[in-house]
């Protein structure tokens, strides 16, 4: 019997009516880069178990790194008396067959040791080296996990997964400090490109040297994938959370409303092979599916886990998350609703073509401090300080940092180009998103 079975067996003997048990074992290697060299190699091996118990409509939970089912259940039940009843609750998900996704678990990554992983990190550093670059920093994370989940509704699922993600920040101090970002991620070793991470960072940084002053103006903005990813995850995505939508905290009012240009299609797609967000089942064991959020500019669907779906008399979309740090899953007993891989469907224009067709505008390579100022209205703020360029008749000139304060519904209605260069990027402390370069009109920028 698995430890999940032991937890459930003891929970039922202790009087629980329903039980969900989660086990997660992780192998994590993190490389940290500072001042153009590797300064830390950290390896860890973790095991943890978690449980959610239901007794008299009260949902209690506990998590532990100690593999002791008895103490875990006792800890969860200990706090049950202080909890309010959840009258809407029905049951945990049943066992339904899911779709197998290719290239989500690579034995080559399981076999990597710290020495080999540090060689990959060194490749990132070497590729970022440039005569204009004064400092290189960044990190490389390699995660392997073994995830199991079982509940009293007859569900039992397990999955092994691998993840590799790296980022480089290259800095230059020629007159005015500037920097550039490079990033890549994968589920398999063969498709991971460490050299591209460094070279992308070096190019963005070296191209940004000697920037001129930015102007206070309203103009066209060309957002590259790293910048689009920040907007997609932090500003747009939360509006489609069923809980947010049901509580009328979304900036969109009704399903079926036209909220964007007709060419815009956005879905949550966890079924892309070798994608950082690929999952055959979510972290409650519910089969994942491709969930269309915006179709031809129209608001189609929301996403949810089981708890919030049952509360709203709906069904889970397979978006329960127990995200691990820095990547992968965890045995956290409480789930939250989260997209797996928000995806903007590619357009038919090359990035270079979009830039060439922009007579006056700004190109932004990366955004920072992206957050909703007024989520209900859709107002947001962000700062562009990496890879910022003035576009004049298709020609690029580096400029200093700018701040953008804009409105999401307005932005979606004024997209004028969608690129064909879709890339999977990882927003800071966020979930992966897959997106191309896009151009938007009528956006105000303020110099910093």
């Amino acid at each position: 019997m698995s430890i999940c079975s032991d937890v459930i067996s003891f929970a039922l003997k202790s009087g629980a009516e329903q039980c969900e048990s989660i086990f997660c074992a992780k192998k994590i290697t993190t490389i940290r880069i500072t001042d153009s060299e590797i300064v830390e190699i950290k390896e860890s091996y973790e095991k943890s178990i978690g449980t959610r118990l239901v007794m008299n409509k009260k949902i209690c939970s506990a998590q532990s790194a100690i593999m002791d089912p008895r103490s875990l259940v006792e800890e969860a039940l200990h706090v049950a008396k202080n909890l309010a009843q959840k009258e809407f609750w029905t049951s945990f998900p049943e066992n339904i067959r899911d779709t197998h996704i290719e290239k989500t678990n690579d034995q080559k990554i399981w076999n990597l040791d710290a020495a080999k992983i540090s060689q990959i990190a060194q490749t990132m550093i070497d590729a970022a080296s440039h005569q204009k670059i004064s400092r290189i920093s960044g990190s490389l994370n390699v995660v392997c996990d073994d995830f199991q989940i079982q509940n009293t509704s007859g569900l039992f699922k397990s999955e092994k997964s691998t993840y590799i993600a790296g980022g480089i920040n290259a800095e230059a101090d020629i007159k005015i400090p500037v920097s550039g970002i490079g990033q890549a991620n994968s589920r398999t070793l063969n498709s991971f490109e460490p050299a591209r991470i460094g070279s992308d960072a070096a190019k963005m940084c070296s191209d940004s040297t000697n920037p001129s002053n930015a102007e206070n103006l309203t103009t066209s903005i060309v957002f590259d994938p790293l910048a689009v990813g920040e907007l997609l995850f932090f500003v747009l995505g939360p509006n489609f959370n069923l809980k947010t939508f049901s509580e009328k905290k979304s900036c969109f009012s009704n399903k079926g409303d036209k909220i964007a240009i007709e060419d815009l299609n956005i879905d949550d797609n966890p079924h892309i092979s070798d994608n950082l967000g690929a999952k055959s089942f979510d972290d409650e064991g519910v089969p994942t599916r491709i969930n269309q959020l915006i179709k031809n500019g129209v608001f189609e669907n929301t996403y949810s886990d089981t708890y919030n779906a049952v509360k709203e008399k709906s069904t889970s979309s397979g978006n329960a998350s127990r995200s691990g740090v820095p990547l992968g899953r965890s045995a956290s007993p409480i789930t939250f609703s989260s997209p797996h891989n928000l995806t903007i469907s590619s357009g038919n224009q090359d990035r270079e073509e979009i830039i060439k067709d922009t007579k006056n505008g700004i190109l932004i390579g990366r955004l920072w401090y992206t957050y909703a100022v007024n989520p209900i209205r859709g107002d947001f703020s962000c700062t562009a300080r990496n890879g910022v360029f003035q576009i004049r008749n298709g020609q690029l000139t580096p400029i200093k940092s700018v701040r953008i304060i804009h409105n999401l519904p307005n932005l979606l209605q004024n997209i004028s180009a969608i690129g064909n260069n879709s890339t999977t990027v990882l927003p800071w402390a966020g979930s992966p998103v897959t997106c191309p370069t896009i151009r938007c009109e009528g956006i105000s920028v303020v110099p910093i």
Side-chain angles (χ1 to χ4, degrees):
M1 292 180 65
S2 70
I3 193 167
C4 291
S5 299
D6 293 340
V7 171
I8 290 175
S9 177
F10 191 78
L12 295 177
K13 290 177 182 177
S14 301
E17 296 144 7
Q18 298 177 38
C19 177
E20 175 188 63
S21 180
I22 315 101
F23 167 81
C24 190
K26 299 175 75 81
K27 172 189 174 185
I28 304 170
T29 304
T30 296
I31 308 285
R32 301 201 182 280
I33 301 164
T34 303
D35 294 330
S36 306
E37 62 182 16
I38 295 172
V39 296
E40 182 183 38
I41 303 173
K42 181 180 179 181
E43 283 190 297
S44 64
Y45 298 84
E46 304 171 358
K47 287 184 179 181
S48 60
I49 51 175
T51 189
R52 274 194 297 182
L53 307 177
V54 180
M55 180 180 286
N56 298 323
K57 292 288 185 176
K58 295 181 178 181
I59 303 175
C60 50
S61 61
Q63 182 180 3
S64 177
I66 301 172
M67 300 294 107
D68 184 348
R70 178 185 293 270
S71 62
L72 181 75
V73 171
E74 288 176 345
E75 178 64 25
L77 292 176
H78 179 68
V79 300
K81 61 183 178 181
N82 299 318
L83 297 173
Q85 290 184 319
K86 306 297 182 184
E87 296 294 342
F88 61 85
W89 180 255
T90 54
S91 65
F92 292 114
E94 296 180 352
N95 199 45
I96 301 174
R97 185 175 180 179
D98 49 67
T99 302
H100 175 70
I101 314 298
E102 296 289 337
K103 296 183 178 180
T104 59
N105 184 49
D106 186 0
Q107 190 59 45
K108 290 181 180 178
I109 294 181
W110 282 95
N111 294 339
L112 287 175
D113 58 22
K116 291 179 180 178
I117 295 172
S118 64
Q119 290 174 6
I120 296 172
Q122 189 62 50
T123 300
M124 292 164 49
I125 298 170
D126 293 344
S129 299
H130 187 281
Q131 59 183 0
K132 292 183 179 180
I133 306 300
S134 56
R135 287 180 303 279
I136 298 168
S137 58
S139 64
L140 174 64
N141 290 295
V142 179
V143 175
C144 305
D145 66 29
D146 183 354
F147 180 83
Q148 298 177 19
I149 182 165
Q150 186 172 350
N151 66 33
T152 46
S153 295
L155 182 146
F156 176 79
K157 293 187 179 180
S158 64
E159 189 169 60
K160 290 186 176 182
S161 305
T162 51
Y163 310 82
I164 180 168
I168 284 288
N169 183 57
E171 301 175 66
D173 289 323
I174 303 173
K175 294 184 179 179
I176 298 173
V178 295
S179 61
I181 296 289
Q183 185 188 105
N185 55 76
S186 180
R187 302 292 290 275
T188 60
L189 187 60
N190 288 347
S191 60
F192 185 68
E193 302 178 90
R196 182 170 66 83
I197 298 173
S199 60
D200 284 353
K203 177 172 174 50
M204 183 185 289
C205 181
S206 59
D207 289 350
S208 301
T209 55
N210 299 319
S212 57
N213 291 326
E215 299 176 11
N216 191 334
L217 76 169
T218 299
T219 187
S220 303
I221 301 287
V222 177
F223 295 100
D224 266 339
L226 281 172
V228 177
E230 296 286 316
L231 294 173
L232 195 57
F233 182 79
F234 291 109
V235 179
L236 186 139
N239 290 282
F240 296 87
N241 187 318
L242 176 62
K243 181 178 186 294
T244 301
F245 182 74
S246 299
E247 293 175 351
K248 301 188 182 305
K249 295 179 181 178
S250 169
C251 66
F252 307 123
S253 300
N254 301 295
K255 293 182 182 180
D257 285 354
K258 192 173 188 301
I259 61 173
I261 63 166
E262 190 170 346
D263 290 339
L264 186 67
N265 293 280
I266 299 178
D267 56 39
D268 178 28
N269 190 346
H271 290 181
I272 301 176
S273 174
D274 208 358
N275 184 276
L276 206 63
K279 286 183 180 179
S280 58
F281 58 86
D282 76 356
D283 297 349
E284 289 180 314
V286 176
T288 57
R289 59 183 173 89
I290 300 173
N291 187 11
Q292 189 88 52
L293 304 180
I294 300 177
K295 182 178 181 180
N296 298 330
V298 174
F299 183 168
E300 288 284 307
N301 291 302
T302 57
Y303 60 83
S304 180
D305 61 356
T306 296
Y307 179 90
N308 289 290
V310 171
K311 187 177 181 181
E312 299 300 328
K313 298 180 174 56
S314 182
T315 56
S316 171
S317 61
N319 284 94
S321 178
R322 291 181 161 101
S323 59
V325 178
L327 298 164
R329 288 161 153 148
S330 77
S332 172
I334 303 299
T335 66
F336 60 93
S337 303
S338 177
H340 303 294
N341 176 40
L342 287 174
T343 303
I344 297 179
S345 298
S346 291
N348 55 13
Q349 289 185 269
D350 294 337
R351 174 183 181 272
E352 292 70 22
E353 180 185 353
I354 294 174
I355 295 172
K356 184 178 179 180
D357 289 346
T358 304
K359 292 185 177 180
N360 290 287
I362 294 176
L363 171 67
I364 293 177
R366 170 72 189 270
L367 291 173
W368 297 81
Y369 312 118
T370 305
Y371 58 92
V373 177
N374 186 328
I376 298 176
R377 285 170 49 95
D379 298 333
F380 67 91
S381 173
C382 53
T383 300
R385 66 181 194 185
N386 297 99
V388 188
F389 300 88
Q390 182 75 50
I391 308 173
R392 295 195 189 281
N393 296 317
Q395 301 299 309
L396 301 178
T397 304
I399 58 175
K400 296 178 183 177
S401 302
V402 298
R403 178 174 291 111
I404 295 172
I405 299 176
H406 199 55
N407 175 267
L408 177 62
N410 185 291
L411 182 148
L412 295 179
Q413 295 285 357
N414 288 279
I415 295 173
S416 58
I418 301 175
N420 59 9
N421 58 332
S422 284
T423 304
T424 299
V425 300
L426 190 61
W428 177 258
S431 300
V433 295
T434 300
C435 49
T437 294
I438 66 171
R439 184 179 62 206
C440 303
E441 307 299 331
I443 297 181
S444 298
V445 297
V446 179
I448 298 177

